[in-house]
Amino acid sequence: MSIGFLRQALNTLQAQSRRRTSHRVNQWFKWLSPGISVKRWLLISVAGVVLASLGLAIWIKLTPIFWVLEFLRGILGAIADILPNYISGPLVILFGLLLLLWGQTRTVGSITKVLRPQGQSEEELIDVLLAHRRLYRGPKIVVIGGGTGLSTLLRGLKTYSANITAIVTVADDGGSSGRLRQEFGVLPPGDIRNCLAALADEEKLLTELFQYRFKAGDGLTGHSFGNLFLTAMSDITGDLERAVAASSKVLAVRGQVLPATLSDVRLWAELADGRRIEGESSIPEAGGSIVKIGCIPANPPALPAAIKAINEADYIIIGPGSLYTSLIPNLLVPQIADAIAASLAPRIYVCNIMTQPGETQGYTVSDHIRAIDAACGRQLFDAVLVHKKSPSPHSLIRYAQQNSHPVFLDREAVSALGRRIVLANILFEDDIGCVRHNPQKLARVLLRWYSGAHLGMGR
């Protein structure tokens, strides 16, 4: 029994050793991957050493170099006398390569140890470099929206590209953002806060920190830490655009987040019963059917960086999010709507899964599309992404109690509006029956459609 146990243990150790060796060889072959800018600099370093040695030899008239070379020739000659050159030559080459491999391994290991923060996963430096190369070679994606829908999408997209620009509405006037807007005169930071947390490398910790709400304290109760942080940064840097840029550097954000405008925008909506409601937070609470929406001041100027991002985009995504209070407010900035309309990039709208009481009750997919077209006066996207399957009965009952139902796909009406339909299962349901888009599934479907549209356009 003991001999069998020892034999099994020995086999296990040998298998582990083979796996470690295979892993190490695989990691070293990764360094030969094209585009990571390592091989060229290694060759340049070797060339530099050779040239420096030649220059030194010329400078000192070869005297010490001559005797060193003579000494080495004597050693090599002695080795050749003992062993034939077809044996000694390969042995010397192998010894040199082993020394080079050992030196480079120790160098890379030391660099990795310094660059990898304590407590971070044991990820190889080459894997980090390859991931960095892949992400920064990803398509330039512009996502337009606001609310939790936009931040959900960003969590999925950041695994495919680091060239992401989120253009976010600044019409929010409720909750912590609304209080800061009234008390300090700053643009509402809430949606921007959510996007920064979603795009940060350390997303889980930052999300918890930025979403933390004070439960006590004179004037602090109800405020989130992220909103206070951005408000302070706005005061320090001078405006929200600079505050977001500075915060992005501090938080190691993958991509950029931009407000649609720096104007103090206030939404208004005309309802079917003739009422006119002002204020983003008041519109859903009015409980009417929205027939027209606008903002004060009318035609606010766009942030130049946002227009630049749209003009350079390879891919434009609108939504998901509350139709009238998260998506359309961005498109009420005429320069943004004009830039999207003029873009030759593939453009897609991500339709919500459920209707929203006070905004889109009873809306079909085509109703969502018509509302966006009416607000902009033109067609801004080529396709619409719609969830394929109905939520579970538990979720349906939960939402029906709130007068919310799945958005019905009326195919013929959507086709008549000139939009392609992309159907996919992109739903996430939590234990209590809350329905959301799944970040990973949503991003995967969007990138797959982009690849097909990209090839179809001959780019």
Side-chain angles (χ1 to χ4, degrees):
M1 179 67 71
S2 60
I3 294 176
F5 174 77
L6 290 174
R7 184 180 292 112
Q8 183 180 2
L10 181 61
N11 291 337
T12 301
L13 290 173
Q14 289 176 341
Q16 290 176 346
S17 176
R18 285 194 297 269
R19 284 196 296 268
R20 285 195 296 266
T21 302
S22 175
H23 173 73
R24 179 56 59 187
V25 170
N26 183 53
Q27 292 301 105
W28 272 100
F29 270 108
K30 286 182 180 179
W31 285 100
L32 301 179
S33 301
I36 59 175
S37 302
V38 171
K39 301 183 298 296
R40 71 189 71 171
W41 302 119
L42 180 60
L43 292 174
I44 289 174
S45 299
V46 172
V49 171
V50 173
L51 288 176
S53 301
L54 290 174
L56 180 63
I58 295 171
W59 188 16
I60 61 177
K61 299 181 180 179
L62 298 177
T63 304
I65 302 297
F66 173 78
W67 292 112
V68 170
L69 292 176
E70 286 294 312
F71 176 72
L72 291 175
R73 187 170 65 177
I75 293 176
L76 294 175
I79 294 174
D81 290 338
I82 298 172
L83 294 173
N85 61 345
Y86 62 84
I87 295 177
S88 58
L91 283 176
V92 172
I93 292 174
L94 180 60
F95 182 67
L97 290 176
L98 287 175
L99 286 177
L100 177 62
L101 181 63
W102 181 46
Q104 290 299 311
T105 301
R106 300 294 295 182
T107 300
V108 172
S110 299
I111 295 173
T112 303
K113 186 176 181 180
V114 172
L115 294 181
R116 186 176 59 224
Q118 187 175 6
Q120 197 179 66
S121 61
E122 294 291 323
E123 188 175 12
E124 294 284 350
L125 180 60
I126 180 59
D127 293 324
V128 175
L129 290 174
L130 288 171
H132 182 276
R133 181 193 65 169
R134 176 180 61 83
L135 290 173
Y136 281 87
R137 287 187 173 184
K140 295 179 180 178
I141 305 174
V142 170
V143 186
I144 300 169
T148 57
L150 181 57
S151 57
T152 297
L153 173 57
L154 295 177
R155 288 189 183 93
L157 287 179
K158 73 175 184 180
T159 62
Y160 292 91
S161 177
N163 302 311
I164 301 172
T165 298
I167 299 177
V168 186
T169 176
V170 288
D172 188 9
D173 62 0
S176 172
S177 291
R179 288 168 56 192
L180 292 172
R181 185 175 183 176
Q182 293 176 359
E183 295 172 10
F184 294 92
V186 298
L187 293 177
D191 288 346
I192 291 175
R193 175 200 77 219
N194 291 332
C195 293
L196 287 174
L199 288 175
D201 281 339
E202 296 294 333
E203 179 195 329
K204 185 176 185 300
L205 178 61
L206 280 174
T207 298
E208 292 177 358
L209 177 63
F210 265 44
Q211 304 291 39
Y212 175 80
R213 290 190 181 273
F214 293 92
K215 299 179 177 62
D218 188 17
L220 286 176
T221 304
H223 280 303
S224 70
F225 172 82
N227 285 354
L228 296 177
F229 178 83
L230 288 172
T231 299
M233 289 294 286
S234 296
D235 189 46
I236 292 171
T237 59
D239 61 44
L240 186 59
E241 180 185 9
R242 294 190 184 95
V244 173
S247 302
S248 299
K249 293 179 181 178
V250 172
L251 304 175
V253 165
R254 192 178 298 170
Q256 62 176 343
V257 182
L258 301 173
T261 178
L262 294 180
S263 297
D264 185 13
V265 173
R266 184 172 176 83
L267 286 183
W268 57 263
E270 292 181 1
L271 307 184
D273 58 13
R275 286 180 295 163
R276 177 186 170 100
I277 308 299
E278 292 191 4
E280 179 268 345
S281 60
S282 301
I283 292 173
E285 296 175 355
S289 177
I290 300 172
V291 295
K292 188 175 182 181
I293 192 163
C295 64
I296 303 170
N299 305 322
L303 189 73
I307 301 302
K308 182 174 183 291
I310 295 173
N311 292 338
E312 296 176 353
D314 298 318
Y315 190 17
I316 298 175
I317 303 171
I318 301 174
S322 299
L323 179 63
Y324 287 104
T325 54
S326 292
L327 303 188
I328 289 180
N330 294 288
L331 306 177
L332 294 177
V333 180
Q335 291 170 297
I336 288 181
D338 292 343
I340 297 172
S343 176
L344 298 178
R347 301 161 299 177
I348 191 169
Y349 164 56
V350 182
C351 190
N352 292 336
I353 299 173
M354 308 295 293
T355 61
Q356 185 174 353
E359 286 199 39
T360 58
Q361 61 270 27
Y363 272 37
T364 64
V365 173
S366 67
D367 290 329
H368 283 76
I369 296 173
R370 290 191 192 93
I372 296 175
D373 290 350
C376 305
R378 74 199 91 174
Q379 295 186 4
L380 295 186
F381 51 89
D382 316 298
V384 55
L385 175 57
V386 183
H387 178 63
K388 191 173 185 179
K389 293 184 178 178
S390 176
S392 67
H394 172 64
S395 295
L396 292 176
I397 293 173
R398 179 181 184 275
Y399 276 85
Q401 293 172 347
Q402 304 170 19
N403 195 26
S404 177
H405 306 277
V407 177
F408 175 71
L409 172 59
D410 44 347
R411 292 174 177 271
E412 293 183 1
V414 173
S415 298
L417 293 172
R419 290 350 196 269
R420 294 192 294 275
I421 300 171
V422 181
L423 275 175
N425 294 319
I426 47 178
L427 175 69
F428 169 77
E429 292 183 70
D430 61 20
D431 295 335
I432 63 173
C434 187
V435 172
R436 296 285 185 270
H437 284 100
N438 181 292
Q440 289 72 36
K441 290 181 180 179
L442 178 58
R444 186 163 56 248
V445 170
L446 286 170
L447 266 296
R448 189 185 303 132
W449 182 82
Y450 163 75
S451 297
H454 186 76
L455 293 174
M457 297 171 70
R459 291 189 168 194

